[in-house]
Each structure stands twice: as structure tokens, then as C-alpha cells.
Amino acid sequence: MKSNAMITIDCNKISEHEINPYLFGHFVEDIRDHMEAMLAYPLKDMDFESEAESKTAVSGSWRAYTNGRNTTYAIEAPAPRHSGRAQRIRLLSDDEAYAGIAQAAALKGPMEYTLRIVARASIELRYLVVAAVDRQTEEVLGQVRIELKSHNWQKYEAGLTVLRACPDAEIRLYIPAEHSRWIDHVSTGMLWLDHVSLLPVDHIGLVKREVVEMTRELNAGMMRLAGNYISAYHWEHGIGPVLERPIMYNEAWGGWTSKYFGTDEFIRFCRELQVEPLICVNDGSGTPEEAAQWIEYCNGSVDTPMGALRAKNGSPEPYRVRYWEIGNEVWGQWQVGSCTAEQFGDRTVQFAKKMKQTDPSIVLLACGHFEQEWNKTVLDLAGEHIDYLTLHLYHGYGPFGMNRDTPADDRYKAIVSYPEWTGHYINQTTEVIASANKHRHVKLAITEYNTMYYPNTVRKGLPNEHTLGAAVANAANLNEMIRCSNMVHIGSYSDLVNGWLGGCIRVGDFYADQYCGKQAGWSGKPLTIYGTPTYEVLKLYANRDIKHIIPVQAECGTFSIVAHRKTPMDLSALPDLDVVAGTNEDHSKITLFIVNRSLEQVTVKIDLHAFEASQDTVLHEITGDSYDDINSVFQPDHIRSDECVVPAHKWQQGHVLRPFSIYVLEFNRL
């Protein structure tokens, strides 16, 4: 079945406000396997921080690697000033065996890796071997011998060449059986390991090169460092020599907060991508003084205590981080430091005063809510001290009273009503902001958004957040954010890499369970890195040349949603086509964003008022055969953005748009 539609663009009326490039931002959070997937290190428990997972006292992801009947293992204190712990291995000479530890790893190749080890050994142990081995065939992919120089702690570094890629490899560190034997007595045959890491030489600032390159294509504008974990995160633990940084338990998500991606690494990541950093401070277990020191570390001159510390850590020039956020979902019981709106308003004033006293030029964001009583209270108490109020807008089945037993088409229609909900909350919050002079200057930052197909606690394969249907919903939501860009200046898609349910860049086939954390993949393709259909949307939108919005109307068919709960807006006649239009700086290009939310084809005609277009138009299309289509490690490019040229006259005659698809059309002035 087909329907017809007419889209009219009034090119005479151009908005005075400019669309902020920060609207197309992204979000980094230490959640689940976000850092593990993002960073280039293939090994886990590099500092032996985790408890033993078996009866043998071997830390975390490592396993005992020995054929000695009398080899013993223990976990001890680390080297001086280092965090984590040390792994002790004792090998008896009489066993005439090999002994060490091993860990499974997915290795790129051919590739040169930098191997770093911190170790000490009893004096008769002269060397150890580090080998990369294919676990299926026992083929040695690379091997290096490390000469042990001291009974005291020493740092060792060497190159390890891996001959080919191997998704199921193992790294083995061991004293080989052919090592010359010694006379056994009470203090022999002992090896201590404090740190073991591998880093491919193609990394970019410790991040996987592929992740950096894919993120660069997103043209993010802004990168946010925040999330639930930040309310128990102390920034001073994430600076300085990395081995001396303390191990911090991730109180929000379990496991260990990554000490390898602290403030300096985050800023380096942003600078590499040429995007603006946005940092959320710890207002849960932290203090205003701690937040102020973080600002001084980033922005202070070398004459300040924290600026001098930054210089000591290798960055004498200030980072000049302008955007700082106070509070992440502090209205939620899951948040460390959760409190009432009154308490948060008072807290915001304390934080804002200290933070702006340190650097008056900073821009401050404060935690808002889609429930307006919270916003009224926070703005009344702290509105004059802040520049932005934040919203987190996740959209799923919950508001409709739906679950997985609801017919699939009904669920799809509910999910693609995302922009109506976003617009509702933006309009409500805008009214509250405009209600008093002292906070009328405040703008909106949607610092987290995504689809969330709750309840979503048990998964096999990839979750719905990765489907074409989710991409349609997120595209329509972006349209609403563009329509409201006079108020909404900042957007942060949640998340960037793996981690939460909808990370738009996927590394391997790990998938998230909302409550139980990550589950192991099943494909044997952990080295495959690809984008979800929503990644294609985010890349397409952020790379368009739009500066101002222009009025656009769509006369089209409608669809309705049968909700099982009362909703705050009428859902009986939602337009099939969600459209928004913009123009560039000199008004020489018109860009039209069209999301066909319908389950049917739509034939579209376009009427351009006051714009003489060239004969050819460029059409970008993201589409598939089903709204459940996904990209995966098996078909990483199944859903992608394709580009073609459509003669301008075709839009006057009518051009067919496929169902559940996203289109961006660009007209150039003749």
C-alpha cells in the first residue's frame, strides 16, 4: 500500500538563531565494557586487581600456566607506589617444568605490540618468555625473551611482533622448562609480576585506532565525560603515572573504573577528534572544593597548584575546558548522592560558586528532570548560577504499558513516537525556564538520549537498540532537537562504544544486560568493529551543512498508537513523515531531513518556495527490508547510508520513500 505526501519548504523564512554543532555530541561513560571495548589494550587485569576466579590464587582473567606438580600461586601486595596487586609464582626446580600465567586475548595482526612488564625474581631465574599463541592450533604467533635483571622490582619493555590476526589467541608469560635448573632451597624459583600489558603500536592516545577513526566520522562537536559512575569518581585518582594511579571500584556498575582513561587521556581524545569536552563533576560523594580543583587542573596556569600538577604530568598548556556539568540524574535512587530537588538546588549553588571562583569563564550545566516540579525547585534556588539545565530522554515501551507480548508493529509505532515525547518535555521545561526573570537565560542540554526497550534484561544476540527501527526513532528525535534548537544547544547520544544498551560503535559481539552486565559474544569475531544503524544516522546528520532552520510542512498520512496507559499527549494521529529543514551559512543550500515512520511506502512531492534549485539533488538514504534489521559482526554494513543523485523534477512528480527509513535531501542553489 502506498500513500502520497506533499512537503512545502518556505525558504523565505530563516531562523535568527544558529544550530549549535554541540547538538550532535556523544557520551563516554565507564560502564560495563565501554572502556574495555574502546581502549586498545587486549589484556584485562593488567595490574592483577581482581580476585582469583578459581581455587588457584591467580588474579581475575589470568590462569595458571604450568605443568609443574608443585608450582604454587599467590596474590601479594604490589610494587612500591603501584596500585593493584602482584602475582607470585613459585616453581620448583625438581619439577623440571614450565610455570607462569596466561590469558586469552583477541590480537590484531600482522601487528607490532609494545609489551610492558613490572617484575622481580629470585636470583637464579634469568629470563622469562612471553608468547602469543593460537589457542586452537598452538601455533606461535610471536615470542620474545625478557632478561630478568634484578631481585628488586624492574620495569621491562619490549616489542612483540604478532604475525597475523587471531581472535582466539593466548598470551603466555612463563619460565620455560628448558631454563637452566637450580638447587632447590627455601628462597628459590620465585617470580613476581606487578603489571603486564600489551598495546598495539597503531593505537591513538591508548584508544583503538578503528574507534578513533569511526568517532572522527561522527563529527561529534562535543564529547561528554559523565554517567552514573561519576558520582563516586575522584578525578585525582585518574592522573599522574598510570601504574601509580589507585584502583577504584566502579560503585555504579561493578568491576573496576579504568585508571587508564583519566582526565589527560580524555582531553587528548577530544583534541584528537577536534571536539569540545564536557566534564561532569562528582557532586555525589565529592565536594565543591574537589570540583574546583578539577577545573584548576584543566584550566589553571602553571602558577596554580593544580596547573603545576598538570604540567608535571606532561601538559604545561591549560586545557581550557569551558563546559562543566553538575550532577548526573541525582533525582534517581540508583545515583550515589541521590537527593531531593531542594537539596540539589542548594548543592548546585555551593558547587557553582566554587567552580566559577576558580574560572569565571566556564559554562555550567545543572541536572534537570522531565518531571517539572524538580526543575521548578532547582531553577528557583540555583537558576541564576547556571547556564544550562539538562534533560535525559530515553524512550521505550514503559510509558505505553507495553511489553514484549505486545504485537511487534504496535511496539514499533510506539518507539517511533520519540519526537512527540521529546517535544513535550522540551516545551514543558521551556515554560518553566521562562517563568521567572532570574533564570530566563537558561538553555537546554539533552546530555543523554537513546531508545530503551525496557524491560530488556535477558538477551540473546543483539538488543532492539541496535535495529533499523531504533535508528528511525533516534533520527526522528534528532529532528525534534533541531526544531527546538533555539532552546536545545547540546545533545549527547548514549553511548559511544559498547557499554550501555545502545552504544553506536560496536566492538565485537558482546552485548549488555541491563542488570547483569556484559555477556560473552558467540561469533568468534571479537576484532570486528562496526556501527549500528543509529551510528549511520548520527554520522549522516552531523555532517550536513546546516546553520539555520527554515519552516517546513508535510501533508501526509497518519498513524495511531494504542497505549495501555494514559499518555501526556494525543497519539491518535501522528504524521507518517517527520520532517525538518535547514540551510547553510550563505543560504546556498537547503537540507531536508525526512523520517518515514510509516510501515508503508510514501510517494513524496516537494515544493520549494523562493529557492531556485539546480537540476540535480543529492539524496542520502538509510533503509532496509525490516525494522528489525541490524548490523552485526556477520554483516557489519548491512544497514548503511547510501547516496544517489535524483533529478530535481522527480520531486515535483513524486518520489517513493521506503517504509521505516531515513532520508536527507540536499538542494543546491542554481
Side-chain angles (χ1 to χ4, degrees), residues 77-83 85-86 118 153 194:
R81 298 187 304 280
H82 286 192
S83 64
R85 291 176 293 190
V118 178
W153 290 109
D194 171 84

Side-chain angles (χ1 to χ4, degrees), residues 116-144:
R116 291 187 176 92
I117 299 174
V118 178
R120 63 183 290 251
S122 53
I123 60 173
E124 65 281 347
L125 296 184
R126 303 297 184 185
Y127 67 93
L128 63 83
V129 171
V130 181
V133 180
D134 186 318
R135 293 209 305 166
Q136 300 299 316
T137 66
E138 288 295 309
E139 175 192 357
V140 176
L141 305 170
Q143 183 170 294
V144 64

Side-chain angles (χ1 to χ4, degrees), residues 76-385:
E76 295 187 355
R81 298 187 304 280
H82 286 192
S83 64
R85 291 176 293 190
Q87 179 72 61
R88 189 185 79 214
I89 306 157
R90 187 177 188 191
L91 171 65
L92 294 190
S93 182
D94 288 348
D95 277 354
E96 296 185 353
Y98 60 84
I101 55 173
Q103 183 180 144
L107 299 177
K108 298 167 66 172
M111 178 61 63
E112 181 79 11
Y113 282 83
T114 299
L115 169 69
R116 291 187 176 92
I117 299 174
V118 178
R120 63 183 290 251
S122 53
I123 60 173
E124 65 281 347
L125 296 184
R126 303 297 184 185
Y127 67 93
L128 63 83
V129 171
V130 181
V133 180
D134 186 318
R135 293 209 305 166
Q136 300 299 316
T137 66
E138 288 295 309
E139 175 192 357
V140 176
L141 305 170
Q143 183 170 294
V144 64
R145 172 170 159 157
I146 303 294
E147 303 295 331
L148 297 171
K149 299 177 181 178
S150 176
H151 183 253
N152 212 338
W153 290 109
Q154 294 285 317
K155 295 180 181 179
Y156 300 94
E157 184 172 312
L160 177 65
T161 302
V162 175
L163 298 177
R164 62 171 176 82
C166 184
D168 191 15
E170 186 167 71
I171 298 298
R172 298 170 181 172
L173 295 84
Y174 60 99
I175 306 297
E178 59 269 22
H179 189 290
S180 57
R181 295 291 107 179
W182 57 90
I183 299 172
D184 276 327
H185 56 78
V186 294
S187 60
T188 59
M190 283 187 281
L191 172 68
W192 289 265
L193 298 168
D194 171 84
H195 169 85
V196 178
S197 66
L198 281 178
L199 190 63
V201 297
D202 72 338
H203 75 93
I204 301 177
L206 305 184
V207 179
K208 289 183 174 74
R209 174 170 292 274
E210 300 87 344
V211 168
V212 172
E213 290 172 348
M214 288 188 68
T215 306
R216 203 189 313 278
E217 291 182 16
L218 287 169
N219 193 26
M222 177 174 276
M223 190 67 64
R224 175 178 183 251
L225 181 69
N228 286 355
Y229 89 103
I230 211 77
S231 290
Y233 177 79
H234 299 287
W235 69 271
E236 63 271 25
H237 294 172
I239 61 170
V242 70
L243 297 184
E244 297 179 18
R245 298 178 186 178
I247 297 293
M248 284 187 290
Y249 188 75
N250 190 326
E251 295 179 38
W253 302 113
W256 304 105
T257 297
S258 176
K259 70 177 187 178
Y260 290 88
F261 195 78
T263 301
D264 299 289
E265 289 79 17
F266 173 66
I267 297 299
R268 192 177 304 134
F269 183 58
C270 292
R271 296 294 182 258
E272 178 66 37
L273 298 168
Q274 297 184 326
V275 301
E276 188 76 21
L278 164 61
I279 295 177
C280 186
V281 299
N282 175 1
D283 83 316
S285 62
T287 65
E289 291 75 18
E290 182 181 12
Q293 285 184 326
W294 200 354
I295 292 172
E296 185 176 285
Y297 182 83
C298 289
N299 298 350
S301 72
V302 293
D303 298 327
T304 64
M306 294 300 104
L309 181 58
R310 182 195 64 246
K312 180 182 176 183
N313 292 334
S315 300
E317 287 298 315
Y319 292 143
R320 297 183 178 87
V321 178
R322 292 188 62 223
Y323 290 82
W324 295 84
E325 185 175 356
I326 303 170
N328 181 87
E329 297 178 5
V330 292
W331 34 261
Q333 293 302 312
W334 53 86
Q335 194 75 32
V336 171
S338 176
C339 63
T340 66
E342 289 80 5
Q343 290 169 325
F344 179 69
D346 290 339
R347 208 153 77 188
T348 298
V349 173
Q350 296 172 41
F351 270 76
K353 286 181 176 178
K354 276 288 183 184
M355 293 167 74
K356 287 209 171 186
Q357 183 181 341
T358 301
D359 184 349
S361 71
I362 62 173
V363 177
L364 282 182
L365 295 72
C367 174
H369 198 352
F370 52 79
E371 293 184 356
Q372 297 309 316
E373 287 306 312
W374 172 280
N375 293 337
K376 289 175 184 176
T377 302
V378 171
L379 286 168
D380 182 57
L381 293 172
E384 60 201 287
H385 297 279

Side-chain angles (χ1 to χ4, degrees), residues 459-472:
R459 312 184 193 289
K460 293 181 179 178
L462 290 167
N464 292 86
E465 283 80 7
H466 298 196
T467 63
L468 175 59
V472 170

